[in-house]
Amino acid sequence: VDLTWPEYAARVADSCPVLLPIGALEQHGQHLPLDTDTMIAVRLAERVAGDLGGIVLPPLVYGARSLARSGGGDHFPGTVNLDGSTLIALVRDIVREQARHGVRTLIALLGHGENDPFVIEGAVLGQRDVAVADLRILVLGWWHVVKSEDLEDLFPDGFPGWDLEHAARVETSLMLALAPERVHCERMSAVDPVTPPPYSVLPTPQGTVPVQGSLADPRGANEEAGHALIALIRTRLVDAIRQALTDPGSEIVAST
Ligand code: ZN
Ligand code: MN
C-alpha cells in the first residue's frame, strides 16, 4: 500500500500476483501478543511477495471464531471473533474489487486455522460475482506446507502435534525469529494438560482448554528453529504457488 494508484495499475497490468494476509485477534497464551496470527501472515506474505514479484495488500486483522481445539476458544479476554458470514462477505468484496481492477492472481495467506473454510467460501462467491474466467485464487495457510517430519527434525525433543499447536513451539519459534522483542520468554511455562472432547461444546466449558491459553508447552521454542521454519515455509509457499499457477490440476503440498 506504499503504491500510488498508477503504480498499482501498472503492476496489475503486468500480471503481478496480489497477496492478502488474513490473521486474527486471538489470545496466544501468556507470552505472545494477540495479533500473533496476523503478524506471522503479514511477514510471510512480504517474503513470498518478494520472491514472486507480488503486491501485499493490507491484512485482515480480525479472523473467524477461535475454536477451543485449535485456538483456545473465545472465552479468553482479547479474542475478537468475526462471524463466519462477516469474513465471507469481506473476502467476497475484496475478491470482486481486486478483480474489477484487473487482478487475476489473488493469494489469501492465512495465519489462523479457523479462517480456512470462510475464506474459501468468500473466494468462491467473489469469483462467481465477477465471472472472470482467468481469475485464479489460492487459499493457503502457512502450516499447510509444513510436514510433521520437518518438525521432528527441528524439535528433536519432540513436537506435540498440530492439534496442540497453538501458541506452542511452532508459533513461538516463528515469533522469536520475526519479532523477538514481542515474545515474553520469561512467562512461558508448562501448561496444565487437558483432554478436550473430540467434538465441540458451546459455549466452551472451562476445563477443556489449558488455563494458560497455549494448547501445549511452548518451552523448547527457539529462534533458530523459527528462522529455519521461515526459510522452509517461504520456499514451499513459493513453490506451491508457482505450481498451482502453472499447473492448476496439480495438488499443493499437503500437510500430514
Ligand atoms: Zn496463532
Ligand atoms: Mn489462530
Side-chain angles (χ1 to χ4, degrees):
V1 282
D2 276 340
L3 300 175
T4 62
W5 73 259
E7 289 166 344
Y8 168 90
R11 298 283 298 278
V12 168
D14 203 24
S15 307
C16 148
V18 171
L19 287 95
L20 174 65
I22 309 183
L25 192 66
E26 180 186 45
Q27 74 86 11
H28 273 76
Q30 304 289 311
H31 63 295
L32 293 177
L34 294 170
D35 66 345
T36 291
D37 288 353
T38 303
M39 178 157 202
I40 291 173
V42 168
R43 296 292 177 89
L44 289 173
E46 287 166 355
R47 286 163 170 77
V48 169
D51 294 343
L52 293 173
I55 294 173
V56 182
L57 297 174
L60 295 185
V61 298
Y62 298 96
R65 193 170 319 285
S66 175
L67 301 178
R69 281 175 290 138
S70 43
D74 59 5
H75 55 291
F76 288 91
T79 296
V80 177
N81 301 312
L82 296 181
D83 286 351
S85 54
T86 308
L87 182 54
I88 290 171
L90 279 168
V91 171
R92 181 180 190 164
D93 286 358
I94 292 168
V95 166
R96 186 195 63 240
E97 289 299 291
Q98 293 297 323
R100 186 166 72 85
H101 296 304
V103 171
R104 292 297 176 262
T105 302
L106 186 64
I107 298 156
L109 183 55
L110 312 180
H112 175 66
E114 290 89 331
N115 286 340
D116 203 17
F118 304 104
V119 172
I120 292 171
E121 186 68 11
V124 169
L125 295 180
Q127 239 166 358
R128 190 187 292 167
D129 290 342
V130 297
V132 175
D134 58 346
L135 170 62
R136 187 85 49 80
I137 304 175
L138 269 71
V139 180
L140 281 165
W142 57 259
W143 59 93
H144 291 150
V145 297
V146 182
K147 300 172 187 172
S148 297
E149 304 92 86
D150 302 324
L151 297 170
E152 284 156 22
D153 292 345
L154 285 167
F155 301 105
D157 297 345
F159 173 63
W162 279 120
D163 286 351
L164 298 178
E165 179 45 57
H166 176 72
R169 288 188 176 191
V170 173
E171 281 189 311
T172 303
S173 295
L174 290 173
M175 287 296 282
L176 281 169
L178 293 170
E181 72 286 357
R182 303 194 64 206
V183 182
H184 303 282
C185 289
E186 72 290 355
R187 298 183 199 163
M188 295 199 287
S189 67
V191 302
D192 300 339
V194 296
T195 310
Y199 44 79
S200 298
V201 180
L202 305 168
T204 304
Q206 299 292 334
T208 58
V209 177
V211 293
Q212 290 82 6
S214 296
L215 296 186
D217 191 340
R219 293 173 304 172
N222 63 86
E223 190 177 330
E224 197 186 353
H227 283 297
L229 265 168
I230 289 165
L232 179 150
I233 291 167
R234 175 181 188 161
T235 306
R236 296 244 179 98
L237 285 174
V238 168
D239 288 350
I241 292 164
R242 287 204 172 115
Q243 191 183 348
L245 294 179
T246 53
D247 181 11
S250 66
E251 275 188 282
I252 287 173
V253 184
S255 66
T256 50

